[in-house]
Amino acid sequence: GYGLKSWLLTKDHKRIAVLYFITISIFFVIGGIFAGLIRLELVTPAGDLVSSETYNKLFTMHGVIMVFFFLIPSVPATMGNFFLPIMIGARDLAFPRINLLSWYLLIAGGAFAIFAMISGGVDTGWTFYTPYSTTYSNTYVIATALGIFIAGFSSILTGLNFIVTVHRMRAPGMTWFKMPLFVWANYATGVIQVLGTPVIAVTLVLIFCERVFHIGIFDPALGGDPVLFQHLFWFYSHPAVYIMVLPAMGVI
């Protein structure tokens, strides 16, 4: 079928790739609007367009949207979804239903993030550095983090799908060293998604626990260490930005 229902319930990897492309394009426009407002504010030294608090929120929301809802899913979920099965001679990904679920999880996570932005925004920076994000910020940190947490499951499931597909569904004669470089790049991306994304998910859960229960993981007054957050956060974010996405884009 060609109706809306056929698209929303599709298990075709090419259609799901198109759905991802439409979704990340919408997020790109939203993030671009925030970037445009930031640039307009910087035209003059004085705060002519927005207040300092609003500027911090725009800067944070731009980073959150562009990194977690555009950059991270842009190559693997969109181009990887479309081309990887074709390049190895498979009819589809190993788990078509999980592939569709991954897209819905990205939509759900994005909805939480957009809700937080509409409700008042968040001003911690897209890195959510402690102790500001855990103690001092009065903005929608938990709602934004929850959106990223949900979207993280989309990334994990996509990576798992790629790994299983490459291992089990290659066409006869398609040995490991005959695979195109693009497939290798997305396979490596899948490994990073499966291994690295749970770390930032747990880190966001710890931020929630700090804000709600004040357990002191990142609070020096309670025996914690704010630098621990940076180690946990960048364990995922460095591979995601510099390793997971850029090699795949270079191959394209």
Side-chain angles (χ1 to χ4, degrees), residues 71 111 133 155 201 217 251:
L71 182 63
S133 64
S155 187
I217 296 175
V251 171

Side-chain angles (χ1 to χ4, degrees), residues 75-156:
V75 173
T78 304
M79 296 187 177
N81 244 317
F82 196 98
F83 291 111
L84 187 143
I86 297 173
M87 287 184 169
I88 65 172
R91 294 183 62 181
D92 208 319
L93 291 178
F95 306 114
R97 288 183 175 86
I98 290 180
N99 195 23
L100 180 62
L101 175 62
S102 300
W103 176 69
Y104 276 109
L105 287 171
L106 180 66
I107 293 293
F112 270 97
I114 296 298
F115 163 77
M117 295 172 187
I118 294 174
S119 300
V122 62
D123 64 349
T124 60
W126 73 271
T127 54
F128 296 95
Y129 276 160
T130 58
Y132 185 68
S133 64
T134 53
T135 305
Y136 301 106
S137 177
N138 295 318
T139 55
Y140 287 80
V141 176
I142 293 178
T144 307
L146 179 59
I148 298 171
F149 181 84
I150 295 172
F153 282 96
S154 170
S155 187
I156 292 170

